Amino acid sequence: MNFQLDEDQIAFRDLAREFLEKEAVPHRAEWDRKESIDTAILPKMGNLGFFGMGIPEEYGGIEGDQITYCIGMEELGRADSSLRGVVSVSNGLVARSILLHGTEEQKHQWLPGLTAGTQIGCFGLTEPGTGSDAGALTTRARRDGDDFVIDGAKVFITNGTWADVCLLFARTGGPGPKGITAFLVPTDSPGFVATTIHGKLGLRGQATSELSLSGVRVPASAVLGEEGRGFSIAMSSLDKGRISVAAGCVGIVQACLEASVAYAGEREQFGRPLATFQLVQDMIAEMSVDADAARMLTWRAADLVEHHLPYGTAASKAKYFASEAAVRAGNHAIQVFGGYGYIDEYPVQKFLRDARVMTLYEGTSQIQKLLIGRAETGVSAFI
């Protein structure tokens, strides 16, 4: 792959950074304290193309390749990971799944609003009793004439209380992955209740929710793809979603690096700038190397997607390395800032808190290691 960005990619990066420096960075501490971003920013982001990346123009998108998408996610991660999460789920997991697996009717019904940021999607997979073991989910959809009736619960659902449509996974058949079907469920459906989860360690600005479904009725036309193919749709979406998470983590590492370099150049101890101390430079050097390494792993995975080559293992490597690197960078940045890094007047404590969950969702670091190990050995360690 070519590591040099083209003119369009550079222009998008610069436009995204300029917008986020003006519209997000000055407000991220306030949003973090209030546990909610100002959702008025979402249509503005839609106008700029954040929600339309990778979606054809006929459905309201801006096209763009996978590297451009990673650039967008990195800039969002650099500014405020809560915004990255909103876009990554609504665009990356929901809109792109509709694009790949939906009927023309479903595409025209949902994609224009999702790409504009005037409608938001959520991804209803995780349940209170099933996290990494998604194939064991218990939410059930039973056939009733021309409809399905859905009952169950979901948890840790990004965008849940803001979403207009939920890409929901429910059991229509027997046990195991082959019994799962994907549905596009309008969130204003009777019996669909979303409740915000408060008190999170990080990503406090994005809505994370519990979903309760009691007798939610949807027509058979709400099935995304074929009945019984929901698990494969979910896993395929998450493979690509891991690239998005990795790119956002690159942004966190980059933000930690930039903040640390600036602070070390300004702050003086023992009569000289912090930047002149060897151990401070050691931490800055580690952040710099991690940023480059995580970015290259992420772009490699994106390039494989772009060329229609197998990318699952590469996505796991990128997600694993970048998320762990983001936690390391957050710790290093706080160490550079000292006591000031521990208070929310400075952003590095937020970077660390936001980074910590990246090692958990869309596949924990331990799950990524198992996937990588299976790819290397040909032996599954799950059993």
Side-chain angles (χ1 to χ4, degrees):
M1 65 174 289
N2 184 358
F3 292 111
Q4 299 301 314
L5 300 182
D6 62 32
E7 292 182 0
D8 290 340
Q9 291 166 336
I10 292 171
F12 179 74
R13 181 196 62 193
D14 293 347
L15 183 64
R17 181 168 297 192
E18 180 182 3
F19 171 84
L20 292 168
E21 285 286 345
K22 178 182 178 182
E23 299 287 344
V25 171
H27 308 293
R28 64 188 174 195
E30 178 186 2
W31 293 343
D32 190 67
R33 295 182 193 116
K34 290 183 175 180
E35 296 191 55
S36 179
I37 64 169
D38 180 355
T39 56
I41 195 176
L42 300 181
K44 296 179 183 178
M45 292 169 62
N47 288 335
L48 206 66
F50 278 110
F51 288 100
M53 292 182 288
I55 306 296
E57 292 180 4
E58 64 179 299
Y59 303 117
I62 63 167
E63 304 282 357
D65 60 18
Q66 293 295 319
I67 299 297
T68 301
Y69 181 71
C70 288
I71 291 168
M73 294 302 104
E74 179 177 338
E75 292 303 319
L76 287 166
R78 177 182 174 274
D80 188 343
S81 290
S82 290
L83 290 177
R84 200 279 312 165
V86 175
V87 175
S88 181
V89 170
S90 192
N91 171 272
L93 296 184
V94 179
R96 292 190 180 202
S97 292
I98 295 172
L99 178 66
L100 288 174
H101 305 286
T103 64
E104 282 302 314
E105 181 181 358
Q106 290 170 335
K107 292 175 187 177
H108 285 288
Q109 178 182 3
W110 294 114
L111 291 181
L114 291 173
T115 56
T118 55
Q119 291 184 310
I120 298 297
C122 68
F123 191 78
L125 180 63
T126 301
E127 296 185 354
T130 59
S132 297
D133 188 12
L137 63 81
T138 59
T139 295
R140 181 161 290 279
R142 60 178 175 84
R143 193 76 186 234
D144 185 19
D146 294 332
D147 297 337
F148 284 89
V149 179
I150 306 173
D151 295 280
K154 303 290 181 178
V155 71
F156 303 132
I157 307 302
T158 300
N159 297 342
T161 50
W162 296 339
D164 299 276
V165 61
C166 177
L167 175 48
L168 186 94
F169 299 89
R171 188 166 300 285
T172 55
K178 292 183 180 180
I180 296 171
T181 298
F183 296 87
L184 293 171
V185 181
T187 58
D188 60 1
S189 300
F192 187 107
V193 178
T195 306
T196 300
I197 297 172
H198 291 289
K200 295 178 295 182
L201 176 68
L203 299 183
R204 295 165 66 89
Q206 71 182 39
T208 304
S209 311
E210 294 179 285
L211 306 182
S212 173
L213 298 98
S214 179
V216 175
R217 182 176 292 270
V218 296
S221 60
V223 171
L224 183 68
E226 299 174 7
E227 189 172 340
R229 289 195 61 245
F231 186 80
S232 64
I233 291 173
M235 294 303 103
S236 174
S237 300
L238 289 175
D239 276 347
K240 289 182 180 176
R242 286 165 185 155
I243 300 174
S244 173
V245 173
C249 288
V250 174
I252 294 175
V253 178
Q254 188 65 40
C256 289
L257 173 62
E258 292 173 6
S260 297
V261 169
Y263 187 79
E266 298 167 358
R267 175 74 168 172
E268 290 194 357
Q269 289 286 284
F270 303 101
R272 55 182 179 147
L274 286 179
T276 65
F277 289 89
Q278 290 181 355
L279 292 180
V280 171
Q281 287 200 9
D282 175 84
M283 290 184 286
I284 287 173
E286 285 195 23
M287 285 186 271
S288 180
V289 173
D290 272 350
D292 283 355
R295 186 178 291 112
M296 293 302 101
L297 283 169
T298 303
W299 286 6
R300 182 186 66 165
D303 188 65
L304 291 172
V305 174
E306 191 68 25
H307 288 90
H308 308 288
L309 296 171
Y311 60 87
T313 302
S316 288
K317 289 181 179 180
K319 198 269 184 183
Y320 165 65
F321 183 86
S323 62
E324 295 290 342
V327 174
R328 288 195 297 272
N331 274 315
H332 282 327
I334 288 177
Q335 207 69 14
V336 171
F337 275 71
Y340 289 108
Y342 206 66
I343 58 177
D344 70 0
E345 179 181 352
Y346 294 92
V348 291
Q349 49 75 39
K350 180 182 185 303
F351 296 152
L352 176 60
R353 290 188 287 106
D354 288 347
R356 188 61 185 84
V357 76
M358 304 300 180
T359 69
L360 300 177
Y361 71 9
E362 297 198 30
T364 65
S365 290
Q366 286 69 34
I367 289 293
Q368 304 314 318
K369 287 182 177 181
L370 289 176
L371 292 171
I372 296 164
R374 184 175 64 183
E376 292 290 346
T377 65
V379 177
S380 175
F382 288 99
I383 299 174

